[in-house]
Amino acid sequence: FILLDYSRELEKQLNRFNQDLVEFKLHRGGHIDAITSTGMNLLFYKENFRDQLERLENLITFELVSGKLNNIKSIDLRYKKGISVLFI
């Protein structure tokens, strides 16, 4: 049930900028692949998911002000202290 909790927490963050979670997969290596209704891809590790989600929350807050959220193609949160963002 922990993955269900993770997907719900992620959905709350995505809803802040009108995105819906359409796919949430755990892969054998322990990474999680999430895809939104607009095709944005988000990558997490199962381990330390909440830390990664907090970094995503900070990014969303920052980008809501900048107006660039809808130009993001993918976000990789698997780094220990950072993220990688690919813009369209």
Side-chain angles (χ1 to χ4, degrees):
F1 291 105
I2 195 157
L3 287 178
L4 185 57
D5 289 341
Y6 287 173
S7 68
R8 286 181 180 155
E9 289 180 42
L10 177 57
E11 184 82 41
K12 286 178 192 175
Q13 292 304 316
L14 295 174
N15 287 338
R16 292 175 60 203
F17 64 107
N18 299 319
Q19 292 280 342
D20 294 312
L21 186 62
V22 295
E23 192 172 313
F24 193 80
K25 283 188 197 178
L26 175 63
H27 297 274
R28 282 189 182 190
H31 81 272
I32 296 170
D33 193 13
I35 300 174
T36 70
S37 54
T38 61
M40 182 189 301
N41 189 27
L42 298 103
L43 299 169
F44 301 87
Y45 275 128
K46 182 180 173 192
E47 186 176 315
N48 299 319
F49 180 83
R50 294 191 197 290
D51 292 338
Q52 296 164 77
L53 193 64
E54 185 176 320
R55 290 197 304 269
L56 176 64
E57 181 178 359
N58 292 337
L59 173 72
I60 291 169
T61 300
F62 178 79
E63 293 300 343
L64 277 172
V65 173
S66 77
K68 295 181 181 178
L69 271 173
N70 293 325
N71 296 328
I72 296 176
K73 182 171 181 158
S74 69
I75 304 171
D76 189 343
L77 296 129
R78 296 175 294 175
Y79 302 96
K80 286 189 178 191
K81 297 198 180 213
I83 60 174
S84 174
V85 180
L86 177 62
F87 289 90
I88 298 173

